Amino acid sequence: MSDLPRKAVTRTAKLAALPIGFAGRATWGIGRRIGGKSAEIVGRELQQRTADQLFKVLGELKGGAMKFGQALSVFESALPEDVAGPYRAALTKLQEAAPPMPTRTVHAVLDERLGEQWRELFLEFDDKPSAAASIGQVHRAVWHDGREVAVKVQYPGAGEALLSDLGQLSRFARLLGPLIPGMDIKPLITELRDRVSEELDYALEARAQQAHAEEFADDPDVVVPQVVHQCEQVLVTEWIDGTPLAEIIDNGSEDERDRSGQLLARFLFSGPARTGLLHADPHPGNFRLLPDEKGGWRLGVLDFGTVDRLPGGLPEPIGVSLRRTLDGEAEGVYELLCEEGFVKESIELEPDAVLDYLLPIIEPARVDAFTFTRSWMRNQAARIADPRSPAHQLGKQLNLPPSYLLIHRVTLSTIGVLCQLGATVRLRDELEAWVPGFAAEDAAEVEDLPAAEA
């Protein structure tokens, strides 16, 4: 393929071709029906062709378009199975691969950023990328001191592409909406546009990754590669081998699925408590399952380009509201939601109705161990998406404060991955260990405080 298309008119034309292509394939499907093929077979072929084009266009454009595709892919477990099937493989591809940047372009970036003698920094450098993502691609190499490393090279023009794509995609939100029933696509795109531009700054990413690498250096459960070198548009980190989480989702054993799910939940909740940072890109392409010396597994974590900065860890009201919901304290939950801005001052809701809305969502925290499944996720999505349901009517009246926006998306995305894994997870153990205000003793201390302080 050619270099990353940078001109807005070129990229807009490619994105505009998506809905036009959908209509064209519908006409193709009618022709196939006239030719004698059954509706079921034609429908399946039609969806597969649509999925293939979606991957091709978003993958080639990279930038914000591909980032949007990755965001979609973690929500596929909420789709009805007959809709999700044809899209699952194509969207999941976006988590691990995309059409690569030409070798000459990679070399040009390295010449400019590392100097024309950049090859002297490496004992080996593989020109074939090992992974291609939304704003850069990764090459496997051997650093001059003998360490195996991953060299992430940013696509030229990635910044312009990010902002252009996300602006254009918002125009097609209505057409893409059916991929995720019940979810408003526009806020997702707006949030991506506001946050994902940080990924362009590899210095920020290097600092976030090194903070995690140092904190988890001797951890028995989590592995984070050390940063080796960083400059504009280039980031070199230690290489880690392991099985991509996408492969575990496809054909992992029950033990591998459960262990992956437990460690994913542990990392999600322990990271902010231990580093003051929340890894905010939890799609399967950023995780590996690594064997440990004792015959078990550890979780390898990659890509710290997008993080939420939480100096005190996850906000304490999250833990307190979860505990109060589990304890059936409708008034206490409602009071806290109002204080935190989840219920606007102009709106008055029935506390018991709010409790009824929340309890099914936090079901995984009510039991010692919970098995996450696609059917459970679909049931939750359907309950909230159905305009006739009380949950839908109440959900429309709730607000999401800006400070909770990224936490909310990361939590939902992680739950989506757990459902893809079909993992049985002791979620309550992780909440009690890492989320301020959730443990029983924390809850007792909060209850002893005056209402204003609590």
Side-chain angles (χ1 to χ4, degrees), residues 56-69:
K56 183 175 184 294
V57 171
L58 294 181
E60 284 184 352
L61 288 175
K62 299 185 171 72
M66 186 174 172
K67 182 58 65 178
F68 177 73

Side-chain angles (χ1 to χ4, degrees), residues 187-264:
L188 176 62
I189 296 172
T190 300
E191 186 228 325
L192 283 170
R193 182 168 50 198
D194 291 343
R195 292 286 187 165
V196 87
S197 58
E198 286 190 5
E199 290 191 50
L200 295 165
D201 188 339
Y202 280 1
L204 280 177
E205 179 173 353
R207 287 199 292 272
Q209 179 159 341
Q210 191 58 26
H212 280 85
E214 291 173 4
E215 174 59 35
F216 288 92
D218 300 314
D219 194 272
D221 299 317
V222 175
V223 180
V224 178
Q226 296 275 346
V227 174
V228 175
H229 181 80
Q230 180 273 320
C231 62
E232 189 176 355
Q233 289 188 293
V234 179
L235 176 61
V236 183
T237 63
E238 291 179 336
W239 180 273
I240 58 171
D241 283 309
T243 305
L245 209 59
E247 290 185 21
I248 304 296
I249 288 171
D250 284 343
N251 48 40
S253 68
E254 184 177 338
D255 285 347
E256 289 172 329
R257 292 171 183 274
D258 291 347
R259 179 64 172 164
S260 297
Q262 191 71 45
L263 294 182
L264 192 61

Side-chain angles (χ1 to χ4, degrees), residues 323-391:
R323 171 59 62 184
R324 287 179 177 176
T325 302
L326 291 175
D327 292 342
E329 299 177 17
E331 294 287 346
V333 171
Y334 183 66
E335 180 183 349
L336 190 56
L337 291 179
C338 290
E339 290 173 0
E340 290 299 304
F342 286 92
V343 181
K344 293 182 178 179
E345 291 184 6
S346 59
I347 297 219
E348 188 170 336
L349 301 173
E350 175 57 48
D352 286 330
V354 174
L355 192 70
D356 290 342
Y357 173 85
L358 294 174
L359 278 171
I361 300 172
I362 66 165
E363 183 183 358
R366 300 182 68 179
V367 294
D368 290 336
F370 183 82
T371 301
F372 289 85
T373 63
R374 287 185 166 99
S375 62
W376 177 79
M377 184 82 162
R378 286 195 294 269
N379 287 339
Q380 294 302 317
R383 181 177 72 94
I384 295 170
D386 185 353
R388 299 165 298 180
S389 74

Side-chain angles (χ1 to χ4, degrees), residues 11-217:
R11 301 177 65 80
T12 300
K14 283 180 175 286
L15 288 167
L18 281 173
I20 294 170
F22 296 164
R25 278 186 301 282
T27 304
W28 170 87
I30 293 171
R32 302 284 278 180
R33 288 292 306 281
I34 294 173
K37 282 211 172 187
S38 73
E40 181 181 358
I41 292 174
V42 171
R44 193 159 54 241
E45 290 177 352
L46 192 58
Q47 286 188 323
Q48 186 58 59
R49 284 181 171 231
T50 301
D52 288 344
Q53 191 205 11
L54 188 66
F55 168 66
K56 183 175 184 294
V57 171
L58 294 181
E60 284 184 352
L61 288 175
K62 299 185 171 72
M66 186 174 172
K67 182 58 65 178
F68 177 73
Q70 289 177 334
L72 284 180
S73 67
V74 299
F75 291 109
E76 58 84 13
S77 55
L79 300 175
E81 188 59 33
D82 59 342
V83 175
Y87 289 95
R88 183 172 297 142
L91 286 174
T92 301
K93 282 182 187 177
L94 288 167
Q95 300 162 347
E96 283 291 335
M101 178 167 41
T103 301
R104 60 181 171 79
T105 305
V106 176
H107 290 179
V109 173
L110 294 176
D111 281 345
E112 183 179 353
R113 301 305 178 189
L114 296 179
E116 293 183 1
Q117 307 303 315
W118 63 268
R119 285 194 178 276
E120 295 180 4
L121 295 172
F122 302 95
L123 298 179
E124 298 176 20
F125 186 91
D126 189 350
D127 283 334
K128 182 180 179 181
S130 59
S134 52
I135 65 166
Q137 66 188 38
V138 177
H139 293 258
R140 190 168 186 168
V142 179
W143 196 239
H144 58 79
D145 62 5
R147 280 182 290 176
E148 283 196 271
V149 293
V151 184
K152 183 151 74 170
V153 182
Q154 191 174 116
Y155 305 126
E160 299 167 46
L162 274 170
L163 298 177
S164 172
D165 291 350
L166 292 170
Q168 295 301 328
L169 279 167
S170 64
R171 296 172 56 188
F172 305 127
R174 183 179 57 82
L175 293 161
L176 296 168
L179 288 172
I180 311 176
M183 179 168 289
D184 189 351
I185 300 294
K186 280 193 174 181
L188 176 62
I189 296 172
T190 300
E191 186 228 325
L192 283 170
R193 182 168 50 198
D194 291 343
R195 292 286 187 165
V196 87
S197 58
E198 286 190 5
E199 290 191 50
L200 295 165
D201 188 339
Y202 280 1
L204 280 177
E205 179 173 353
R207 287 199 292 272
Q209 179 159 341
Q210 191 58 26
H212 280 85
E214 291 173 4
E215 174 59 35
F216 288 92

